[in-house]
């Protein structure tokens, strides 16, 4: 009998950039952006989760909604069609809670837009 380690590769299309860099943020002016998360590996099925870190005075005040869907790409939500809300709450609530189930991969490769 022999054993081998499974392969797990989780990437996104941001090329190391920040998803949000908002200049002159003001109340009631929502910002929206998209990112594609891809999975390629042989460990199936696999649950992909979302987690965050947050600090500072605004973390309790920033309302965050993460939607899962299809279409769009990093910094371009053209054609994005949301299918489900993955998280809705403040940034501090996202950071303080358990990781949120984002999607389950049944067959690889797979990609999901947020």
């Amino acid at each position: 009998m022999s054993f081998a380690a499974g392969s797990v590769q989780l990437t996104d299309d941001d090329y190391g950039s920040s998803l949000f860099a908002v200049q002159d943020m003001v109340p009631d002016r929502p910002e929206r952006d998209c990112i594609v998360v891809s999975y390629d590996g042989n460990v199936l099925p696999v649950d992909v989760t979302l987690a965050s870190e947050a600090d500072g005075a605004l973390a309790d005040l920033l309302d965050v909604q993460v939607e899962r869907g299809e279409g769009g790409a990093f910094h371009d939500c053209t054609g994005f069609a949301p299918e489900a809300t993955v998280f809705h709450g403040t940034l501090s609530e996202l950071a303080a809670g358990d990781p949120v189930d984002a999607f389950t991969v049944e067959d690889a490769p797979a990609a999901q837009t947020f």
Side-chain angles (χ1 to χ4, degrees), residues 18-72:
S18 175
L19 182 59
F20 287 99
V22 181
Q23 299 295 320
D24 302 321
M25 184 183 291
V26 297
D28 297 322
R29 188 183 308 159
E31 293 290 327
R32 179 180 177 174
D33 214 338
C34 289
I35 191 166
V36 178
V37 176
S38 301
Y39 176 84
D40 194 11
N42 61 13
V43 177
L44 296 168
V46 64
D47 293 325
V48 178
T49 59
L50 169 70
S52 177
E53 293 181 8
D55 61 15
L58 291 179
D60 288 335
L61 303 172
L62 291 174
D63 188 43
V64 176
Q65 181 166 318
V66 179
E67 296 174 315
R68 180 183 67 237
E70 294 188 11

